[in-house]
Structures are given as structure tokens and as C-alpha cells.
């Protein structure tokens, strides 16, 4: 579903942020990406839907090359859901309109159909009653669930998450993770940057560990948690699990 | 001194002052604000487009307009437009543009420079995550601007935009250099005709003051409301 091969990216001639990153995410797979701050996790995941350009290598999403200038990027992105660390709901639109905007303007769905779909998804994330409110009136956890619903409204073939719970107060983390776990169990293809190892243990198929722009470890979940091969991953794991 | 003032002259002139003068002033203010906002937003988008040449053109235009006194622009524009029109259309004689059209175009072009700076600040105040989220949903650049960035920039900047419009409302009185009958022009004509300069100019000042004050009060109320929504 996502094929990343030999991706290199520089932010400036002297600063290489991604070095020869290669990995695959197959259909229905849940891949967790972790690693220390500044290791390039966000950058890598943003390359997948071409929010960030990269200088060499290839990324294919469902067979479409994202770094091909001829690719219709808006169309491709409309099929790839993305959830951000800081939610990024549109503050000037009501919750329901946040869910309908792209359905109507990108997919060309009629207003009624988009509303129906939006309400279904709000119900699914447990926020049907909030439909007429504005984002600022919701808690962080609620906003992030709306953001997930907004992405799902586009019927994505794959979902990308960039630290979806790290901006949340601790007591709101689980309500968001629950939604993500359900999604994973329903067979959604997911690439998730997170430090929530509980989530990884529960639903991940594979774990990728990044450090200084490189994919240091790319292993099946049990292998990763059982005994990471690299020193750096071991150190990282022991640090994060001791919390 | 106030002993021989005749305030009845104001009462008699009211229909003329408001039906002709104030109507013109408000129409000019409204249309110029609308046109200036649209043109100004276009200039702001040009400057933020990342395209060097486009940004440079808009930048030079804004700096140029902001470094000229408005009266001069009004004056020059009125006398130049007919010749520019002639040159563009290749007509035999200078195109005659009414005083209203001429002053409206002048104000739109002049105000656009100021509105563009306001809108530019408004657009820049929006975090980069917003356009990223819009793109990630599949919206094109134009749709992202239209549905996500500009509505927020406009809303955030509304108090400043209205404040600028109040300044514009006062500035429209400068069309007197073209002998146009705006509110001040009308007051001034009555003043000259009846020899009642003090009364008429005093009254005009009070009217401008009152309207501007009410509008400013409205802006403060609005600011408070916007602060709550965010
Ligand atoms: N637009 C940019 N220009 C220059 N450098 C950048 C830019 N964005 C990110 N970087 C740098 O690139 C490196 C990788 O950033 P990235 O956001 O991908 O890291 P991350 O692994 O997601 O970290 P975190 O856990 O803090 O989110 C960091 O050193 C960051 O400072
Ligand atoms: Mg990050």
C-alpha cells in the first residue's frame, strides 16, 4: 500500500534529515514509527502524502508515485487520511462543517450526503452531540477524535498519524487511542508515529525505530519488543518503558 | 461671537446634506472598502505566493501607494485617467470618466495598499498546520485559501479592517479637490452660498465625529466577541 524506497531529504545542503529510508506498509497492516525527538519521524510521514518534498528515492501509495510531477496530488491526498499532533481542526467552522468541507469540495459529494456521512462518523467517535459546536468549545481529546472522523469522512485507503496523543492531557489519551485501536482492528492500513508503546503492543504488526534520519530498526512487533537488535533502539525502549 | 449664529441654516440644508452628500460619501466608502479589500487581498496573496516576480510587483506597488499623499493621487488620477483610457483603447480623444468613477478607482487602488498589509498580517498569523491540514484533505491551493486561510485571516483582522474603513470614511472628504458633492462638499457649498461657514463646518465636524465614534465603539464590541470564540 505504501512503498518507501531509498528516500533522501535535505532541508539545506548541509542538513540531511532523511537518509536512505526504505520500508513498506502492506494493506491492512499497522506500522508504528518511534524514535527520539528530531529523528525525522514527522518528516518521513509527511513525505508519504507529499506535504514535504524529498530530493531522491521514491514513494508509492497504492501504486501511485507521489514524487512524480504528473501525479494529481490533491486527488492522491484525498485518499490518504492524516491526523496531526495539534489536531488542526478549522476553527472558523462548526464540527460538522469541518467534516463536510473536503467531502463537498474535493469529492464533490452533495451537502446532504456529506452531512449524513459526517454525522455517522461523529456518532462513531462518540461526539454526535457536539456537531453544532466550534472546535474551541471541545476538549483536546474530543478535537482529536473529530480530526480522525474528518479524515475518515474521505473514505481513505490508508491513515497516517503524527503523534496524535502527544499534545493531549494524560487523561484524554485513552479516548483517542481507543478510536485508533478500533480502526486498526477493522483492518485499516495505518502508519502511526507515536511513543504509546501500549498501543503498539496491542495492534501494531511492525515497529520502525528511527534515529538521526535513518530507519535503524524495522521489525515485527514481537521481535522489536522481545529484543531489539540495535543498541540505540534498546536504549530508547528502556527509557520510554521506564516512564 | 456665537450671538449671531444661525443654526436654522443647517435644518434647511439637511435634506441636501444627507440625501446628496452623505449618500455619496457612504456609497464611495462602501464600494472603495469592498474593492480595496478584494484588490488588497489579491496583492497580499501575490506577496505571499513565493513567486519572486509577482511578490516584487505587489511590494513595489504597495510601497509606492503608501508613500504618496492621498490628495495628490486623487488629483493626478482624475486628470490622468482620461489619457490612460485613451491610450489603452486607442481612442481619438481622452476618455471622459465621471468624477465618481475616477474617485472610486483612486480610492480602491489607494486603500488596496493598506488593506493588503492588513490581510498579509492576517494570513501570516495563521499557523502553518492549517494549510497543511487542508492540503492533506485534498484541497487545492486555491481551495485552501478560499475556504480555510482567508476566512480566518479576514475574521481575525476584521476589527483592523473596520478601523481602516473608518479612516477611509474620513478620507473620502478629500474628493473636494474635484469639486464633488460629498457630505463635506455639500456642507461647504451651503456654507459658501449662505455665508454660514462656522455653522456648516461645525455641523460637518460633529457628523463625522459621531459616525466615526459609533463605528469605533462597534469595533470594540466586535473585538470582545471574537476573543470569546477563539
Ligand atoms: N522546515 C524545516 N526546516 C529545517 N529543518 C527542519 C524543518 N522541519 C524540521 N526540521 C528539522 O528536521 C529534523 C527532523 O524533524 P522532524 O519533525 O521530522 O522530527 P521528529 O522525529 O518528528 O521529532 P519530534 O518527535 O520532535 O516530533 C529536526 O532536527 C528538525 O529540527
Ligand atoms: Mg514530529
Amino acid at each position: 500500500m505504501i512503498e518507501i524506497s531509498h528516500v533522501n531529504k535535505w532541508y539545506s545542503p548541509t542538513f540531511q534529515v532523511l537518509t536512505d529510508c526504505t520500508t513498506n506498509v502492506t494493506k491492512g497492516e499497522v506500522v508504528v514509527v518511534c524514535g527520539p525527538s528530531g529523528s525525522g519521524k514527522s518528516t518521513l510521514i509527511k513525505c508519504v502524502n507529499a506535504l514535504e518534498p524529498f530530493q531522491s528515492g521514491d514513494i508509492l501509495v497504492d501504486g501511485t508515485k507521489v514524487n512524480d510531477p504528473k501525479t494529481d496530488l490533491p486527488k492522491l491526498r484525498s485518499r490518504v487520511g492524516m491526523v496531526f499532533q495539534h489536531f488542526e481542526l478549522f476553527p472558523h467552522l462548526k464540527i460538522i462543517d469541518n467534516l463536510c468541507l473536503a467531502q463537498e469540495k474535493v469529492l464533490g459529494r452533495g451537502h446532504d450526503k456529506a452531512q449524513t456521512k459526517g454525522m455517522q462518523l461523529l456518532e462513531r467517535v462518540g461526539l454526535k452531540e457536539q456537531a453544532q459546536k466550534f472546535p474551541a468549545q471541545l476538549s483536546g481529546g474530543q478535537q482529536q477524535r473529530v480530526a480522525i472522523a474528518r479524515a475518515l469522512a474521505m473514505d481513505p485507503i490508508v491513515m497516517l498519524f503524527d503523534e496524535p496523543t502527544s499534545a493531549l492531557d494524560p487523561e484524554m489519551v485513552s479516548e483517542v487511542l481507543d478510536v485508533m485501536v478500533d480502526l486498526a482492528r477493522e483492518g485499516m492500513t495505518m502508519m502511526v508515529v507515536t511513543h504509546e508503546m501500549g498501543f503498539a503492543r496491542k495492534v501494531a504488526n511492525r515497529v520502525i525505530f528511527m534515529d538521526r534520519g535513518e530507519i535503524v530498526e524495522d521489525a515485527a512487533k514481537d521481535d522489536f519488543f522481545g529484543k531489539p537488535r540495535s543498541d540505540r533502539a534498546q536504549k530508547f525502549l528502556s527509557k520510554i518503558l521506564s516512564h | 461671537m456665537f450671538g449671531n449664529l444661525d443654526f436654522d441654516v443647517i435644518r434647511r440644508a439637511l435634506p441636501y446634506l444627507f440625501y446628496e452628500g452623505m449618500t455619496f460619501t457612504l456609497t464611495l466608502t462602501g464600494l472603495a472598502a469592498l474593492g480595496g479589500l478584494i484588490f488588497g487581498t489579491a496583492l497580499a496573496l501575490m506577496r505571499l505566493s513565493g513567486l519572486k516576480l509577482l511578490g516584487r510587483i505587489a511590494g513595489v506597488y504597495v510601497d509606492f501607494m503608501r508613500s504618496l499623499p492621498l490628495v495628490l493621487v486623487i488629483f493626478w488620477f482624475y486628470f490622468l485617467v482620461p489619457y490612460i483610457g485613451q491610450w489603452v483603447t486607442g481612442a481619438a480623444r481622452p476618455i471622459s470618466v465621471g468624477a465618481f468613477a475616477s474617485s472610486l478607482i483612486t480610492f480602491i487602488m489607494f486603500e488596496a495598499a493598506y488593506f493588503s498589509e492588513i490581510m498579509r498580517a492576517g494570513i501570516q498569523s495563521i499557523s502553518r498546520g492549517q494549510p497543511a491540514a487542508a492540503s492533506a484533505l485534498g484541497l487545492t491551493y486555491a481551495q485552501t485559501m478560499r475556504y480555510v486561510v482567508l476566512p480566518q485571516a479576514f475574521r481575525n483582522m476584521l476589527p483592523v479592517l473596520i478601523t481602516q474603513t473608518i479612516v477611509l470614511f474620513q478620507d473620502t472628504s478629500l474628493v473636494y479637490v474635484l469639486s464633488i458633492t460629498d457630505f463635506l462638499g455639500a456642507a461647504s457649498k451651503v456654507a459658501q452660498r449662505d455665508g454660514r461657514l462656522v455653522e456648516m463646518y461645525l455641523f460637518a465636524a460633529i457628523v463625522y465625529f459621531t459616525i466615526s465614534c459609533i463605528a469605533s465603539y462597534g469595533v470594540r464590541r466586535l473585538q470582545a466577541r471574537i476573543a470569546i470564540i477563539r
Side-chain angles (χ1 to χ4, degrees), chain A residues 173-215:
Chain A
V173 169
S174 65
E175 65 188 61
V176 172
L177 288 180
D178 288 347
V179 172
M180 292 170 61
V181 167
D182 283 348
L183 205 54
R185 292 199 168 135
E186 281 165 26
M188 175 61 80
T189 310
M190 294 162 68
M191 189 168 174
V192 186
V193 176
T194 187
H195 291 162
E196 294 292 337
M197 289 302 136
F199 172 80
R201 279 225 163 85
K202 226 186 243 173
V203 294
N205 300 102
R206 277 185 15 248
V207 180
I208 290 173
F209 174 74
M210 288 185 75
D211 193 18
R212 282 173 238 155
E214 286 176 77
I215 294 182

Side-chain angles (χ1 to χ4, degrees), chain A residues 36-43 45-46 85 162-163 166 193:
Chain A
S37 181
S39 56
K41 308 176 300 287
S42 299
T43 307
I45 207 168
K46 281 178 184 152
Q85 183 173 6
D162 187 6
E163 305 205 32
S166 60
V193 176

Side-chain angles (χ1 to χ4, degrees), chain A residues 126-160:
Chain A
L127 294 169
K128 210 171 121 196
E129 293 73 34
Q130 320 291 337
Q132 300 303 323
K133 291 193 180 161
F134 285 92
Q137 296 170 294
L138 270 56
S139 73
Q142 291 175 323
Q143 289 191 47
Q144 194 61 299
R145 284 186 279 155
V146 172
I148 295 172
R150 179 176 72 177
L152 291 175
M154 304 297 282
D155 296 320
I157 53 171
V158 48
M159 288 281 287
L160 309 173

Side-chain angles (χ1 to χ4, degrees), chain A residues 227-241:
Chain A
K227 190 172 174 25
R229 272 173 296 146
S230 67
D231 269 5
R232 285 189 273 180
Q234 267 174 29
K235 272 200 197 118
F236 177 78
L237 254 185
S238 63
K239 223 194 240 167
I240 219 173
L241 293 178

